[in-house]
Amino acid sequence: MAHPPLVSVIVPNYNYATVLRLCLRALTEQTHPALEVIVVDDCSTDDSVAVARSFPDVTVLRTPTNSGPSTARNIGAEAARGEILMFVDSDVALAPDAVATALAVLDSDPRIGAVCGNYDTVPLVRDSLVKDYRNLYRHWYFKIAEGSITGFLSTAILAIPARIWAEVGPWNPRLDQSEGADVGERLTDRYEVRMTSSVIGRHDDDANLRIAVYKVFTRTRVHIPFFLNRRRVVGVVTSAESGTGLASWLAAATAPLPLLFGAAWAVLPALLLLVWLASDGRMYRYVWRIRGLPYTAFFAAMHLLVNLTIGVGVAAGLVQWACSRRFRRLYDQEAVTA
């Protein structure tokens, strides 16, 4: 009987000691028997290293300086011995069958070069409505993308054969918010990438509204050169966190019209908001079905804030792209392999 392939699980970490313990405990409970777990700590200032070392079968590496998750993942990939690499963020606790299921998907079709997993609808630590919204929305976003995907990768749960990673890696060390777009483009040019909710984990997203909004803004802004340098201008609007933001941006832009020209003009932003809500009607029905009406109203308000933040991020990114040659070259290949 053939031996099961060794899977190297690479966990980049920075100051996530509490949830890192949950992440590593979940890896000890995987049904796949041949597992190598590598934690790459990015110079944490909490007790993350002690937490990782408390698991006797975990290899603990450290970055020389605080350098971001891309550098940490690259260090882990270089040290890995497995036939399969599985990148798992330190704030994700995989379901017990996640590794085994990812391998089964890879084995199901030789054209599949990587498998992306999904988040559970419930956060790993359920202590914030903001966190709850972020997890549920991302679950939905990945759920409707199930099947073959192009371009963007979900980097939090990603399984890929080591031989393929040798072709498409490494992670761009200059990117810490949009590295999935960079690797995803190289990967999907050569192989099929499968998104599936059968590979799932609970995720501890941002509980703080300010931090969550800032991340949305930053991720949107840094995607601008990725799209514009590839002449995919439509992607600026349709990617990032949502594909339906334009109507909400127009509603915000026209909101002052009633103050300037009279109450009758309130119809225009109201209609635009209705268009925005209707464009994601399937998502809101899903949320209503599993969480009820009051939560759905909160979810819609959060989603509006996120969409408006994306609009600001697009504007800031366009300005930066026009003014900064360095920003325009953010995704240049030579920066990745240098």
Side-chain angles (χ1 to χ4, degrees), residues 74 77 85 87 158 160-171 183:
N74 287 337
L85 306 183
F87 297 99
L158 173 65
I160 181 170
R163 61 178 176 81
I164 293 178
W165 182 250
E167 295 178 36
V168 303
W171 302 96
V183 169

Side-chain angles (χ1 to χ4, degrees), residues 4-11 23-37 82-88 92-107 115-118 156-160 196-201:
L6 177 65
V7 178
S8 295
V9 182
I10 298 158
V11 181
C23 170
L24 297 179
R25 186 179 300 153
L27 292 175
T28 68
E29 297 169 353
Q30 291 299 302
T31 58
H32 183 76
L35 220 62
E36 172 189 52
V37 179
E83 297 174 50
I84 307 295
L85 306 183
M86 193 159 183
F87 297 99
V88 178
V92 173
L94 295 178
D97 64 347
V99 173
T101 303
L103 289 179
V105 175
L106 285 170
D107 289 341
V115 175
C116 291
N118 196 355
I157 307 173
L158 173 65
I160 181 170
T196 175
S197 294
S198 64
V199 179
I200 202 161

Side-chain angles (χ1 to χ4, degrees), residues 44-58:
S44 293
T45 57
D46 64 5
D47 60 347
S48 291
V49 171
V51 168
R53 287 177 175 162
S54 70
F55 289 81
D57 296 327
V58 171

Side-chain angles (χ1 to χ4, degrees), residues 17-294:
T18 302
V19 289
L20 176 63
R21 187 180 301 279
L22 301 177
C23 170
L24 297 179
R25 186 179 300 153
L27 292 175
T28 68
E29 297 169 353
Q30 291 299 302
T31 58
H32 183 76
L35 220 62
E36 172 189 52
V37 179
I38 302 171
V39 172
V40 186
D41 187 75
D42 194 22
C43 297
S44 293
T45 57
D46 64 5
D47 60 347
S48 291
V49 171
V51 168
R53 287 177 175 162
S54 70
F55 289 81
D57 296 327
V58 171
T59 299
V60 182
L61 306 175
R62 302 195 76 180
T63 58
T65 60
N66 182 253
S67 308
S70 292
T71 296
R73 292 189 188 107
N74 287 337
I75 290 173
E78 288 171 4
R81 298 179 293 112
E83 297 174 50
I84 307 295
L85 306 183
M86 193 159 183
F87 297 99
V88 178
D89 283 357
S90 59
D91 57 359
V92 173
L94 295 178
D97 64 347
V99 173
T101 303
L103 289 179
V105 175
L106 285 170
D107 289 341
S108 68
D109 189 330
R111 294 171 297 180
I112 299 175
V115 175
C116 291
N118 196 355
Y119 296 136
D120 200 308
T121 58
V122 178
L124 179 57
V125 179
R126 199 170 187 180
D127 57 0
S128 161
L129 282 174
V130 173
K131 184 187 296 186
D132 201 71
Y133 157 78
R134 293 289 286 162
N135 274 270
L136 184 52
Y137 172 68
R138 290 187 182 192
H139 172 84
W140 168 259
Y141 187 78
F142 295 147
K143 182 180 176 66
I144 62 173
E146 284 196 4
S148 296
I149 59 174
T150 57
F152 291 90
L153 295 180
S154 169
T155 59
I157 307 173
L158 173 65
I160 181 170
R163 61 178 176 81
I164 293 178
W165 182 250
E167 295 178 36
V168 303
W171 302 96
N172 187 333
R174 296 195 298 169
L175 302 176
D176 59 5
Q177 293 288 351
S178 58
E179 65 275 19
D182 178 66
V183 169
E185 182 179 49
R186 299 196 299 274
L187 182 55
T188 57
D189 278 348
R190 308 178 197 186
Y191 299 96
E192 179 183 349
V193 177
R194 185 71 56 85
M195 169 70 76
T196 175
S197 294
S198 64
V199 179
I200 202 161
R202 287 196 170 186
H203 177 227
D204 192 61
D205 213 312
D206 300 300
N208 182 286
L209 179 61
R210 180 184 60 82
I211 294 173
V213 168
Y214 176 76
K215 284 187 177 180
V216 170
F217 167 80
T218 303
R219 288 169 181 168
T220 305
R221 179 180 59 81
V222 298
H223 279 132
I224 296 300
F226 177 82
F227 286 114
L228 293 188
N229 291 348
R230 290 155 178 79
R231 303 297 188 268
R232 300 181 189 171
V233 179
V234 68
V236 173
V237 175
T238 59
S239 70
E241 301 285 337
S242 172
T244 60
L246 186 57
S248 66
W249 305 347
L250 292 173
T254 57
L257 291 181
L259 299 176
L260 298 173
F261 303 111
W265 282 92
V267 173
L268 181 57
L271 284 175
L272 287 166
L273 270 180
L274 287 175
V275 169
W276 172 75
L277 285 167
S279 64
D280 267 332
R282 199 156 58 105
M283 177 179 70
Y284 294 120
R285 289 193 294 272
Y286 175 77
V287 174
W288 191 341
R289 186 168 65 251
I290 65 174
R291 297 288 177 85
L293 180 58

